[in-house]
Amino acid sequence: MGAQAPFFVNSKSVRSDLFCHHPMNFFNRWFEKTGDVLFPRSCVACKKEGALLCSTCFANWNTTHLSSEDLKGGDIGKQFWTFAYADPIARELICSWKYYFDATAWSILQAKILPSFSNFREVIRSERIEAFIPVPLHDQRFCERGFDQAETLARFLAQELGCACRPLLVRERNTGKQAERTPEERCVSMQENPFSALPFSVPKNLILIDDVWTTGSTASAAASALRARGAEKIFIYTIAKG
C-alpha cells in the first residue's frame, strides 16, 4: 500500500495557506477597498450602483439545484455543477473571483452553492467518496493569480461537507490560458497529459474539483493521471458548466 498523503502535499498547497502574505493579495484587497470609493460598484444583474450583486437580485437569483449528468466512454463517470456558465450572473461572479480575486464575488458564490449541499452529501455517502481532489494550476499561473481557485473551492467543499481535501495532482506543463482557446485547441493542448499524481495512495472513490467545465479536456487529463495511480470511481464537481 502506498504512503498516505499528508494534508499538504504540494508546494501550491503550502503557498495557498501563506497567501495572506502574498503581495498580490495585499494589492487586490487595497484595490478593492479604494476602488469601491473611487469607482462605485454596480450590480452585475440590474446595474444598480452600490454592490456587486444588489440585495434584490441576490434574493431573486435562485440556484439551489445541484445538476448532474452521467458521462460515458472516459475516465470520469459523472459530473455535477451548480450554475450554467451561460448564466450572466454566475459568469460575472466567477470571472471576478477567478481573475481578480474578488472576495465579494467568492462570498456570493459560496452563499448560493451552499443550499445544494444536501444533495451533495447524499452523493458522497452513497458513492463512498473519500476525498475531493482539486485540478491544479501550473506554478506560473499560480504566481500570476496569487491563488488556486480549484483548491480554494475544494477546501470550502471539504469543510462544509466533512470530506477530505487532498491536492494530489501536479500540473507539470503550462498549457496556457484555456479560456482564450477554441474547443479544438483545448483538446490539442491536453494530448500530452500535463498532470501527474503525487506518489501517495490515491483514493479509489473521489471527486475532482474545478471552477468551470467547458470541453472537459482538462478534467479528463486530470482523471487519467489519477486513474493511472489506482483511482476507480472518479466524478467531478464544477461551479458552472459551459
Side-chain angles (χ1 to χ4, degrees), residues 214-230:
T214 47
T215 64
S217 56
T218 300
S220 295
S224 177
L226 291 167
R227 181 80 69 186
R229 296 289 302 176

Side-chain angles (χ1 to χ4, degrees), residues 85-102:
Y85 199 59
D87 180 335
I89 298 176
R91 186 170 60 250
E92 288 291 335
L93 292 174
I94 291 170
C95 289
S96 293
W97 171 55
K98 179 176 179 177
Y99 298 117
Y100 304 105
F101 195 65
D102 190 321

Side-chain angles (χ1 to χ4, degrees), residues 221-236:
S224 177
L226 291 167
R227 181 80 69 186
R229 296 289 302 176
E232 296 178 0
K233 183 184 294 182
I234 302 175
F235 297 158
I236 185 168

Side-chain angles (χ1 to χ4, degrees), residues 126-169:
S126 62
E127 300 292 347
R128 299 183 178 180
I129 299 300
E130 301 167 64
F132 295 123
I133 313 293
V135 178
L137 295 173
H138 185 267
D139 285 347
Q140 180 180 335
R141 185 72 65 238
F142 179 91
C143 290
E144 290 173 359
R145 290 186 186 166
F147 83 115
D148 188 319
Q149 72 277 0
E151 186 169 331
T152 299
L153 176 60
R155 290 184 183 279
F156 168 66
L157 293 172
Q159 179 179 345
E160 295 295 332
L161 296 169
C163 191
C165 171
R166 297 182 62 192
L168 293 174
L169 288 169

Side-chain angles (χ1 to χ4, degrees), residues 157-217:
L157 293 172
Q159 179 179 345
E160 295 295 332
L161 296 169
C163 191
C165 171
R166 297 182 62 192
L168 293 174
L169 288 169
V170 175
R171 197 169 193 141
E172 297 179 327
R173 179 169 56 84
N174 188 356
T175 54
K177 297 180 179 179
Q178 297 292 80
E180 298 176 357
R181 292 177 168 169
T182 65
E184 292 76 16
E185 290 171 335
R186 295 182 189 192
C187 291
V188 169
S189 73
M190 291 294 161
Q191 285 180 350
E192 180 185 345
N193 198 331
F195 297 104
S196 65
L198 290 167
F200 301 104
S201 60
V202 171
K204 291 189 180 298
N205 305 327
L206 60 90
I207 298 181
L208 278 169
I209 303 296
D210 208 354
D211 58 330
V212 177
W213 170 287
T214 47
T215 64
S217 56

Side-chain angles (χ1 to χ4, degrees), residues 56-114:
T56 301
C57 292
F58 179 89
N60 291 334
W61 188 37
N62 296 316
T63 57
T64 59
H65 181 61
L66 180 70
S67 300
S68 64
E69 181 181 347
D70 292 327
L71 302 176
K72 305 295 184 182
D75 288 310
I76 301 175
K78 195 168 191 175
Q79 65 176 145
F80 300 88
W81 69 96
T82 303
F83 310 109
Y85 199 59
D87 180 335
I89 298 176
R91 186 170 60 250
E92 288 291 335
L93 292 174
I94 291 170
C95 289
S96 293
W97 171 55
K98 179 176 179 177
Y99 298 117
Y100 304 105
F101 195 65
D102 190 321
T104 301
W106 174 227
S107 295
I108 296 170
L109 288 169
Q110 286 175 295
K112 288 299 185 177
I113 289 171
L114 276 171

